[in-house]
Amino acid sequence: MRVSVRKDGSALSHAPDNWHAVDWRRVERNVRGMQIRIAKATREGDWRRVKTLQRMLTRTLSAKLYAVRRVTQNQGARTAGVDRELWDSPESRWDAVGRLKRLGYKPLPLRRVFIPKANGKERPLGIPTMRDRAMQALYLLALEPVAESTSDPNSYGFRRNRSTADAMSQLFQCLRRPDSASWVLEADIKGCFDHISHDWLGTHVPMDTGILRKWLKSGLLYQGRYQATEAGTPQGGIISPTLANMVLNGLEQDLMEHLGAKFGIGRAKKLKVHVVRYADDFVITGTSQEVLAGEIRPWVEAFLAQRGLRLSEEKTRIVHIDDGFDFLGWSFRKYSGKLLIKPSKKNVKTFYRKVAETISKNKTVKQADLIRMLNPMLRGWAQYHHPAVAKQAYSRMDHLVFQRLWRWAKRRHANKKSDWIRKKYFHQVGDREWVLSTPTVRKDGSLGLLELYHVSGTAIRRHKKVRGDFHPFDPDWEQYGEQLRQHWMEQSRSYLRQWFKLYTSQGGNCAHCDQALEFDSGWHDHHLIYKVHGGTDALSNRVLLHPNCHRQVHAGGLNVAKPVPSKP
């Protein structure tokens, strides 16, 4: 460790001199503190201060450390760019921190690859080098608070604490009543990431324009040939989703202002126009087909044209809610006046094809290995659809998968009778028969049964939608953010164990008033160091409080100490 010194000679802090010496809690608190200040300046409209704070943040050691850690811990950390360089050691990561400088920085071309899409086509991806990824992550730290502060309330894609389930819940609220809007503009932007105007980005995105233009003009390298990039932001860059969001910000709020100015606020409300967007997919509701086709669609097309974008003629359509439409893998449709949201036929078909291909490609693997391949796929698909009316789709999927597995088992033993095959591969588990399962040894050494995930056993639970004005970089929203995280964690399998550890460590008492935590009154999960200040979800940073005590702590700015377990 070494001691940093201010210009006036006073000691500043202990700065690390290698990767293992980094105090990550301090790093996160420093970064989050600057992001809070940027968000506050954005909300106040002080853009000069926003620019100053962004410049300060991107030059700090904490932000550079944070950026390097992000790009070396995500799923793409093992995928190299055109320079074939990977930061796979503590020494290389530490050296990389010192290379994140604006002066003399020149990004390398992106490595072009193609990945298959659900419709059989291929999606182009541009893979930056590790250094370019880290630079994007660094400047994203300064841009994200601005993007969150200027986003539309009902934009849910690529934003903190928001998901597709939130978009689905918002649409449910807009369409569920008998007097709700009956018509929907189902929009699709043609090649959104590939056609965004560079000039618009350089003019309207509040970040270092020189760095941004270098990324946009870095070009592509495919099969040894260089291709210049005149438009678009490449899919694969860390900062690209945020840039795309900022391009489409205003679609909701500007449309409402346009309608209010043209028709008056009262009449505009009667049109029941609502915009729900997830990344570049969005739908707009309305009371009539004429309003959507004659007024709203032309305005949307003009809005997109300014940004170099346009709607896809093939995929954009106006439909009645009784005929239904698909959005984010769900089918929204009213049956006799009642809105039901189900897994879409296309989503079910695509997922089953994926499962069938997995089984077909693994004809000779061990039974346990096949179960371990299929379980994450089945569990993930089922949990994605758990807020919807999905029981029928679940049962159908279980049946289709069983048929495929039965053919898989019979093929392995063509000369054996069906009864022998059933006894070898399928067993009774509780009340369920014909369950693909096999004996296995658990981590504690005991003998157990490894079974295929039961899709139909997934509970249907209504999703608790995030509030549209929730701001993850505003300390005033910390308590609401804690409640959201608690709600999500309660749905995870590991939360019960975490709750039990917290409960027993506190002796069953509230960490604030030291009175018993009752099941009737409930409890709240409180972070000692707020998440907006860089606090983590580790048990050492969490305590259980009464709901009323939790409100008192936040309202009064009180400090809560971690209870010390009493000795037996």
Side-chain angles (χ1 to χ4, degrees), residues 272-334:
K272 298 177 182 178
V273 175
H274 299 278
V275 181
V276 179
R277 179 169 66 87
Y278 187 91
D280 58 336
D281 294 327
F282 63 93
V283 295
I284 303 177
T285 67
T287 54
S288 68
Q289 186 177 14
E290 292 74 19
V291 170
L292 291 176
E295 181 63 37
I296 294 178
R297 178 166 178 169
W299 184 92
V300 171
E301 290 175 340
F303 175 89
L304 296 177
Q306 295 176 3
R307 293 151 175 79
L309 304 173
R310 59 191 178 96
L311 294 175
S312 170
E313 294 295 336
E314 299 81 14
K315 299 181 180 179
T316 301
R317 61 194 187 117
I318 298 175
V319 298
H320 195 276
I321 189 61
D322 290 343
D323 297 325
F325 65 95
D326 292 350
F327 185 58
L328 302 177
W330 291 297
S331 172
F332 296 76
R333 185 178 177 183
K334 275 190 176 180

Side-chain angles (χ1 to χ4, degrees), residues 1-31:
M1 299 286 287
R2 58 185 174 83
V3 178
S4 297
V5 179
R6 295 189 179 93
K7 292 182 179 181
D8 59 5
S10 60
L12 177 61
S13 64
H14 292 281
D17 53 12
N18 64 80
W19 188 258
H20 294 300
V22 177
D23 182 352
W24 290 109
R25 176 173 294 185
R26 180 184 293 273
V27 165
E28 292 181 5
R29 291 183 66 179
N30 291 343
V31 171

Side-chain angles (χ1 to χ4, degrees), residues 154 156 165-175 274 276 465:
N154 292 304
Y156 298 99
D166 292 310
M168 181 261 280
S169 298
Q170 177 62 23
L171 265 180
F172 178 78
Q173 295 297 328
C174 297
L175 299 170
H274 299 278
V276 179
K465 190 186 84 71

Side-chain angles (χ1 to χ4, degrees), residues 79-82 84 109-117 122-128 194 220-223 227 234-237:
T79 305
V82 295
R84 301 296 176 182
L110 305 170
R111 182 163 69 91
R112 173 68 90 191
V113 297
F114 293 88
I115 60 174
K117 296 172 63 176
E122 290 185 325
R123 183 190 307 276
L125 288 183
I127 302 178
D194 297 328
L220 301 165
L221 201 62
Y222 180 59
Q223 295 182 344
Q227 302 174 10
Q235 297 187 61

Side-chain angles (χ1 to χ4, degrees), residues 184-236:
V184 175
L185 170 63
E186 184 184 1
D188 182 88
I189 301 175
K190 187 172 183 178
C192 177
F193 283 85
D194 297 328
H195 298 100
I196 296 175
S197 169
H198 287 180
D199 292 336
W200 192 95
L201 286 171
T203 304
H204 294 87
V205 175
M207 66 170 291
D208 190 313
T209 306
I211 292 291
L212 177 60
R213 288 194 178 278
K214 287 182 179 180
W215 287 331
L216 297 175
K217 301 297 184 181
S218 60
L220 301 165
L221 201 62
Y222 180 59
Q223 295 182 344
R225 295 182 178 180
Y226 176 80
Q227 302 174 10
T229 48
E230 301 299 332
T233 174
Q235 297 187 61

